[in-house]
Amino acid sequence: MKLIALITGATSGIGEATAMLLARDNYNIIITGRRKERLISLQEKIQSETNSKVLILDFDIRNLNENEFAINSLPEEWQNIDVLVNNAGLAAGYSPIQEGDIDDWERMIDTNIKGLLYVSRLIIPKMIARGKGHIINISSIAGKETYPFGNVYCASKHAVQSITKGMRIDLLKHGIKVSSVSPGAVETEFSLVRFNGDNNKAKQIYKGFTPLLAQDIAETILFIVTRPKHVNIDDVLIMPTDQAFSRDFNRREFD
Ligand code: NDP
Ligand code: 8X3
């Protein structure tokens, strides 16, 4: 019997890789994001390469009504969500606090904190009713350290760390597992989004060293969800070998 995983932000990067990997394991997958055409492509890919089913929920995680509509409209056979991967998120901008763009701040706070809370609030009661479930929140090295120009993004990921701890405490007596994964630099569309589509700036971030791949994080998530019932992985801090903490990189080329 297959389990059900809901992965937010599955249109690219970590979420997409995780959807594929969990589908190859033992999961039917609910994939979410705003770009419906990408969700359809991923659905087709997963369904052609695995024997797992895929359900698409395209909505903006920042909008509470859209969250409610999407989750409340789940067909009966998709309602028993075993694993929730709270992955959707972004960094917007990279500037000193006094020059920060207020719209960027709101996008990050609304997505990384409020969006994660909205989805979780809708799904946790269903897990409590069943006395089981596993929530994996995607945090970051930015949830453990603050780096120059990272201000509000780092704050949003510190909030994810704190919410994860709160969930772990509050859901303890309900038998629900709560974990977080905190990666260093992963080469996805993350930097392209952060620099508002500027491909050159995005490429500079990963220049001269070997970053993590989305697949590395997906494999970490698979490890976390496949532990025995009595084991909860509270947090995994996973870094490229070429990165120490948030600011030190072993870059081999500078041209
Ligand atoms: P990507 O940009 O590749 O993927 C981000 C995903 O989030 C997309 O699927 C996007 O879907 C979704 N998303 C963003 N905003 C919204 C929204 N308003 N509503 C619904 N979905 C949304 O980046 P990553 O895969 O790298 O990022 C995934 C997570 O990992 C994020 O939380 C990020 O903070 C975290 N992280 C990333 C690291 C990195 O170096 N890449 C390191 C540490 C943590 P769509 O645009 O279609 O809505
Ligand atoms: C993404 C990693 O270091 O760019 O969370 O903040 S970092």
Side-chain angles (χ1 to χ4, degrees), residues 9-15 33-35 59-62 87-90 111 138-140 153 157 183-186 188-190 193 206:
T11 57
S12 74
I14 294 168
R34 290 165 299 178
R35 288 170 289 181
F59 65 95
D60 188 329
I61 205 166
R62 293 172 294 181
N87 165 75
L90 80 163
T111 311
I138 306 304
S139 177
S140 170
Y153 177 68
K157 290 298 181 178
V186 190
T188 61
E189 294 178 15
F190 176 84
V193 172
Y206 310 106

Side-chain angles (χ1 to χ4, degrees), residues 4 23 29 44 50 68-69 76 82 131 159 164 195 204 249 252-253 255:
I4 297 176
I29 313 284
E44 287 169 356
T50 74
E68 287 172 342
F69 182 78
E76 181 75 32
D82 297 286
T164 304
F195 295 115
Q204 287 301 317
F249 293 87
R252 293 177 196 82
E253 309 155 18
D255 54 339

